[in-house]
Amino acid sequence: CFFFNDTATTEIYTQAFVGSVRCVQETGLKEKDVRFKVHALQKLQLIIDEHWSEIADSLNEIESLYDNISFPERELAALIASKVYYHLEEYDDALRLALESGPKFDIEEKSAYVEKLISKCIDEYIQKRVHNAEARTEEDKLLIDPKLESVVDHMFLRCLKDGECKQAIGIAIEARRTDIIQKAIEMGENSEEKLKYVYDIAEKKISNKGFRSEVLKLLVSLLKEKSLNPEHYFELSKCYISLNDSAEIANLLIKLMLEGKENREIALQIAFDIFDSENQQITEKVCSELTIKRLAETDEGNKEMIFKLIDIILGKVTYEIYREFLSKNNKTDSQIATEIKETIPQTVSVLQEACVWSNALMNACTTDDSFLKKNLEWVAKSSNWAKFSCTSTLGMIHKGNKAQAMTILQPYLREAHASSSPYSGGGAFFALGLIHANQYNPEVMNNLIQNMNALGQNDVICHGISLAYGLVGMAKADEGIYGELKNIMLGDSAVRGEAAALSIGLLMLGSGNEEAIRELLNYAHETQHEKIIRAISLALAFIMYGKEEAGDVLFEQMVGDKDPIVRYGAMYLLGMAYVGTDNKAAIRKLLHFGVSDVDNDVRRSAVTNLGFVLARNPDKITKTVAQLADSYNPYVRYGAAMAIGIGCAGTAMKEATTILIPMLGDTTDFVRNGAIIALSLVMMQATKGIDSKLDDIKKYFDDVYKDKHEDILCKFAAIIGKGILDVGGRNCTINLISRFGSPKMASVIGLAVFCQFWYWFPYINFLSLALTPTALFGLNGDLKMPASYYVLSNAKPSKYAYPQPIVREAVNKPTKTPSAVLSTTNKAQARTKAKQNGGRQEVM
């Protein structure tokens, strides 16, 4: 009925066909003649978008035509079936059939159907590419349809042709196509802008470490092909630092050093950036490379320059500048600590320790220990572990003051040798480690080894020296020190073993040492001491620092353990391995265990570690834990508070305070404790110009520790919070991410160990490792500050002004009011006096 030679008749039947789709379905598609079926499909193609619901009834017949290999218009049948599935929102089938329709599927067509399927096509392609990249064996990989890849490649070419290079780069990064990334960077103009764009995405968005390294290596190769300018050198150094390529960093520094004054100054700035990473592994390796090159150098000027670079990389220059700045600009109000001391009950040892820690935090890195000197008699009343804590705070106050460390601590070290006060001696060794933290010094390490041999029989002194081992040798992976610490741990003493196990984690930080992991795991299952098991679990987390996917196997092993303490460490392993990566898989795992594990401590640690994984994006932290802050479980609420404190430290974000301030009224004391600590971390160094609620927060802290009826935990947190708000003489903050975008190793570890004050208060001292002075230094090539150097700020001075010191009101001593004397009293006194005088009365 559709084949007429007469055109007019054909048009009439065509109109009838359009008006009755059912006719086509019941006649053309079911006709035996192939010509009828082809013509029916051609007519259905014209009206598919308006009459897809009626055509859907014949979907089986249309698909059967596609399945028929001998049918001449299989591609047309596939296209029509694809469009029906599209309207039915069955996008997987729609895409499958669209790809089979070959050229009939016109990807240049501007329609909702094509755009949706192209989007679906790209998503499926990305999903399969990522799966294959992360598959452990060839059998696990998925087959990618060449037709699917052809569509994606066509879209890449169209983006590049239309000048949408950033869009192409974004899709290529998700699909892990470095060839397209390279084409997008090289094609067209603004290649430098695109290089920066790719680097930012690589550091902030690419969650897979292997692919991130691949992209960074591509950037290095592209940068080397260019005629490098100063900006390129900085980009190149960032890539090398992120890749931990110490040899190339050293080569770049030497190259710059030999190319004139301007490039020498660039080399100095790169050296400062290397130190800012706080990664002792890479700094040691770079310095070793530079030392070898210095020995081969003949020019004395160049040798001096290499010496200067090594001093910068090792932190000698930076620490000296920081120490001088923090000491001269210490704006700590000494009245705060004095007022706390006079307010708290003298019989509560925990609050006295909190006062000492609060003072140490306020004066951290400033070398100002005047409060302790003025109150020696009061401090001397502390006993046992309280004495250990008080002495160890000297390490916070004098952190970085390496030249005078032994002089300051010598009186307490003598007590250790005299066996008169092992607690003071142990605290002094801990303080020595804090002063030299993440700054390996062979002389200091040898001194510790000698003292361990002489005094290590005492548990307390051994505890302090063991912690110092880990602090001084952070990330050093020294096998000799590891062996000594392992022997101490295997002694199965809770006090010794805890410090030794934790220090093994600090010593092997980021090494991924398989032997150490195996030995620690085995002993965790042998010992009965919870302190040692917990320290081992944290040590395992630290060993896998920054390893990302390489830590997944150990995580699965630990999280499947029946011991909740080992599972507790598994949560920290995720936090340390994926710190600052925003890795979605890690976040999903932490959220899962945060709401499903049967142990409350595991839940708490899982939620807390969200702060580390999301440290690069504080905005995401508040959104992620907002609902967890209202959980029925107080341990989850505590974890949510600490996650915000960790990830939003020093930001004074309103989104963070909006969540934390209501938690101050929580019915559970330890939740309020966590909320106070977290709020102080968020608001550190804030001013009224930044957040008008600051005065109210400070007043709340004052009211809490002065309230006789408040819980001890909350009082403790309020006192510590007072110190954190004014930390480092009101000149320090916490920043877990370095200037060039990588996590700061010492800062991350310091904050992670600080969180363990839940179990052991002296871990509060580790917060000093996370502190960064908020100062801007301008140096010339001689590392001197030019007299003409200044920075213009358009902000109002009041916005960043230091808080005014507390003014203590003068207390007038009340004068004694003369008592009234009655006349009868006078007469009685006169008679008594007369008797004493032999009966004679005086006459006025």
Side-chain angles (χ1 to χ4, degrees), residues 55-128:
I55 297 172
D57 294 337
S58 300
L59 188 56
N60 290 334
E61 287 84 350
I62 297 172
E63 282 199 78
S64 66
L65 293 176
Y66 159 69
D67 292 333
N68 186 351
I69 299 176
S70 62
F71 186 67
E73 288 292 340
R74 292 181 65 237
E75 293 178 345
L76 179 59
L79 181 64
I80 293 173
S82 171
K83 290 188 176 182
V84 173
Y85 277 121
Y86 162 74
H87 287 293
L88 290 171
E89 297 185 359
E90 296 289 343
Y91 300 123
D92 290 332
D93 288 325
L95 177 59
R96 174 178 59 83
L97 289 164
L99 293 175
E100 296 298 333
S101 65
K104 299 286 185 184
F105 178 52
D106 183 9
I107 61 176
E108 297 293 340
E109 179 185 318
K110 303 294 183 181
S111 66
Y113 163 74
V114 172
E115 289 181 5
K116 177 63 181 179
L117 289 198
I118 287 177
S119 175
K120 177 70 178 174
C121 184
I122 292 171
D123 289 343
E124 185 171 328
Y125 180 73
I126 289 171
Q127 183 181 0
K128 289 184 176 181

Side-chain angles (χ1 to χ4, degrees), residues 826-844:
N826 287 331
K827 290 179 180 179
Q829 290 176 349
R831 284 195 297 271
T832 302
K833 194 172 183 180
K835 288 178 181 179
Q836 293 173 351
N837 294 331
R840 297 188 300 275
Q841 294 188 8
E842 293 182 1
V843 181
M844 295 296 294

Side-chain angles (χ1 to χ4, degrees), residues 2-3 14 17-18 24 29 34-48 65 71-73 76-77 80 104:
F2 294 107
F3 297 91
T14 301
F17 167 73
V18 173
V24 179
L29 294 178
V34 173
R35 293 176 300 165
F36 280 88
K37 294 178 180 179
V38 170
H39 193 74
L41 289 176
Q42 290 172 345
K43 297 306 178 181
L44 290 176
Q45 164 71 357
L46 298 175
I47 59 171
I48 182 71
L65 293 176
F71 186 67
E73 288 292 340
L76 179 59
I80 293 173
K104 299 286 185 184

Side-chain angles (χ1 to χ4, degrees), residues 797-814:
S798 59
K799 185 172 183 178
Y800 300 107
Y802 291 108
Q804 293 297 317
I806 296 174
V807 179
R808 304 190 74 180
E809 296 180 2
V811 180
N812 296 322
K813 293 183 178 180

Side-chain angles (χ1 to χ4, degrees), residues 766-812:
F766 275 82
L767 189 63
S768 61
L769 273 65
L771 300 181
T772 300
T774 48
L776 182 64
F777 301 102
L779 305 177
N780 58 22
D782 298 323
L783 303 183
K784 303 293 183 182
M785 187 178 293
S788 59
Y789 176 74
Y790 69 94
V791 177
L792 179 64
S793 173
N794 293 321
K796 294 181 180 179
S798 59
K799 185 172 183 178
Y800 300 107
Y802 291 108
Q804 293 297 317
I806 296 174
V807 179
R808 304 190 74 180
E809 296 180 2
V811 180
N812 296 322

Side-chain angles (χ1 to χ4, degrees), residues 337-355:
T338 302
E339 189 176 82
I340 293 172
K341 169 184 167 292
E342 294 175 355
T343 303
I344 60 175
Q346 300 301 305
T347 56
V348 184
S349 175
V350 172
L351 297 184
Q352 288 181 308
E353 288 183 73
C355 179

Side-chain angles (χ1 to χ4, degrees), residues 4 12 80 90 113 129 137 222 272 333 354-355 366 371 473 556 570 614 618 690 716 743 772 813 822:
F4 296 94
I12 293 172
I80 293 173
E90 296 289 343
Y113 163 74
R129 287 277 303 180
T137 62
L222 292 175
F272 279 112
D333 188 352
C355 179
T366 66
F371 175 81
E556 294 298 334
L614 293 168
I690 295 173
F716 180 89
T772 300
K813 293 183 178 180
L822 301 175

Side-chain angles (χ1 to χ4, degrees), residues 670-681:
F670 65 77
V671 176
R672 297 200 300 278
N673 172 289
I676 291 170
I677 295 293
L679 189 59
S680 61
L681 287 170

